[in-house]
């Protein structure tokens, strides 16, 4: 396992180099940051001075070399909008995104695991059809629509929760539900599918023929062996929650990384975009490595070579 970890960490280097190159080129060909930073009354001399100060007058390959050298040291440049170093601004928003992602994932797990197992055990019954229908409905509802409906009902009409912002538990509930419902629907369908396949295996029939308690058969023998696909989808969805909660964070004015990234893209704040993408990329890679290690714990037959 140690060799696998070393190999995986070394593989991060070319991946991050490729990501850095793609982001660097895309950010610079989408517009002129100098035009956004200066007022309309600025002269050509002002534009030339600022372009030179930012190093944007250099060839792209030289700009990339300077950017890469600085990035290795954790310096992604200074935010045009905030006038501060970009990386601390990105890291400052991470706790809010982690808080929302953990809450949404916890809610999804609490909903999906019992419903998915119940639906599989009650296959082709009314319960199975009802749970499957609810899952399809939950997956079909757009996040922005659900968020707005939750605000109208529970914040505006009933006054139970705050409309927006980050604070205590009451601020977290509505955005967590908005993200968690769609994720729970997807996980429920996956768990049901895996459990249906496993419940038809010979070792499950053998365990039942021995008179083992049904809950023990389902919990130990069936569900544990069906966890690997669930862990995979949880890992993928959790990483997407960190950087992909753009709409939900915007609807609820949640001060996370997603909202910062949207603002940076709109204002063409290259430093923020680059730092955010790098942080998200590193997090995704590390989560994938952690997921592989969890596979080994769930199934000892998996070997790393």
């Amino acid at each position: 396992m140690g060799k696998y970890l070393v190999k995986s960490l070394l593989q991060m280097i070319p991946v991050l180099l490729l990501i850095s190159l793609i982001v660097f080129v895309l950010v610079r060909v989408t517009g002129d940051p100098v035009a956004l930073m200066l007022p309309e009354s600025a002269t050509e001399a002002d534009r030339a001075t600022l372009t030179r100060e930012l190093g944007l007058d250099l060839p792209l390959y030289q700009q990339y070399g300077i950017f890469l050298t600085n990035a290795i040291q954790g310096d992604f440049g200074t935010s045009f909008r905030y006038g501060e170093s970009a990386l601390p601004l990105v890291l400052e928003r991470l706790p809010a995104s982690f808080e929302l992602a953990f809450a949404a994932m916890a809610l999804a797990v609490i909903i999906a695991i019992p419903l998915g197992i119940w639906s599989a055990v009650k296959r082709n019954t009314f319960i199975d059809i009802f749970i499957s229908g609810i899952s399809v409905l939950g997956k079909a509802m757009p996040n922005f629509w659900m968020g707005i409906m939750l605000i109208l009902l529970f914040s505006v009409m009933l006054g139970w929760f705050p409309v927006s912002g980050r604070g205590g538990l009451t601020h977290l509930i509505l955005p967590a539900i908005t993200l968690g419902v769609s994720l729970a629907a997807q996980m429920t369908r996956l768990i049901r599918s895996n459990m249906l396949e496993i419940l038809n295996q010979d070792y499950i029939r053998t365990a039942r023929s021995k008179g083992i308690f049904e809950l023990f058969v389902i919990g130990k023998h069936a569900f544990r062996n069906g966890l690997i696909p669930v862990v995979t989808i949880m890992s993928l969805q959790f990483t997407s929650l960190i950087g992909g909660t753009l709409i939900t964070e915007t609807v609820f004015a949640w001060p996370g990384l997603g909202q910062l990234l949207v603002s940076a893209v709109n204002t063409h704040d290259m430093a923020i975009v680059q730092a955010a993408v790098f942080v998200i990329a590193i997090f995704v890679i590390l989560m994938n490595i952690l997921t592989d290690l969890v596979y080994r714990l769930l199934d000892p037959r998996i070997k790393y070579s």
Side-chain angles (χ1 to χ4, degrees), residues 245-261:
T245 57
L246 310 179
I247 296 176
T248 303
E249 289 187 1
T250 301
V251 170
F252 290 95
W254 188 265
L257 183 57
Q259 189 184 55
L260 178 66
L261 190 55

Side-chain angles (χ1 to χ4, degrees), residues 84 87-96 166 255:
E84 301 177 23
L87 185 58
L89 288 171
V90 171
L91 296 178
E92 185 181 287
R93 297 294 187 100
L94 271 181
R166 181 189 180 207

Side-chain angles (χ1 to χ4, degrees), residues 111-291:
I111 295 174
I113 289 179
L115 290 184
I117 295 175
W118 196 18
S119 180
V121 172
K122 300 293 184 180
R123 181 180 183 180
N124 294 331
T125 64
F126 172 78
I127 293 175
D128 181 27
I129 296 173
F130 179 76
I131 294 176
S132 298
I134 293 297
S135 300
V136 172
L137 180 62
K139 186 62 180 176
M141 289 188 294
N143 285 346
F144 71 89
W145 180 85
M146 179 177 291
I148 293 174
M149 292 300 102
L150 290 176
I151 290 174
L152 289 175
L153 177 60
F154 294 105
S155 298
V156 178
M157 297 177 61
L158 299 177
W160 290 357
F161 303 105
V163 174
S164 60
R166 181 189 180 207
L169 179 62
T170 55
H171 290 81
L172 180 62
I173 292 176
L174 293 186
I177 292 175
T178 302
L179 288 174
V181 166
S182 176
L183 179 56
Q186 183 175 355
M187 290 176 59
T188 299
R189 292 167 62 84
L190 179 63
I191 292 172
R192 177 189 181 276
S193 176
N194 292 334
M195 288 294 294
L196 284 176
E197 181 178 351
I198 291 172
L199 288 174
N200 290 324
Q201 297 296 320
D202 290 339
Y203 68 88
I204 297 296
R205 287 192 287 267
T206 301
R208 285 172 170 167
S209 67
K210 292 180 178 180
I212 298 177
F213 189 49
E214 183 68 12
L215 288 179
F216 189 78
V217 172
I218 294 173
K220 181 178 180 179
H221 297 283
F223 179 64
R224 181 178 179 180
N225 291 325
L227 270 180
I228 288 182
V230 178
V231 170
T232 302
I233 194 65
M234 286 177 62
S235 172
L236 294 174
Q237 291 295 334
F238 186 76
T239 52
S240 68
L241 287 177
I242 296 298
T245 57
L246 310 179
I247 296 176
T248 303
E249 289 187 1
T250 301
V251 170
F252 290 95
W254 188 265
L257 183 57
Q259 189 184 55
L260 178 66
L261 190 55
V262 169
S263 174
V265 171
N266 290 335
T267 58
H268 206 75
D269 197 336
M270 295 186 297
I272 293 289
V273 173
Q274 291 167 160
V277 171
F278 255 83
V279 168
I280 294 172
I282 292 173
F283 177 74
V284 170
I285 294 172
L286 293 178
M287 280 296 297
N288 289 337
I289 296 175
L290 179 61
T291 302

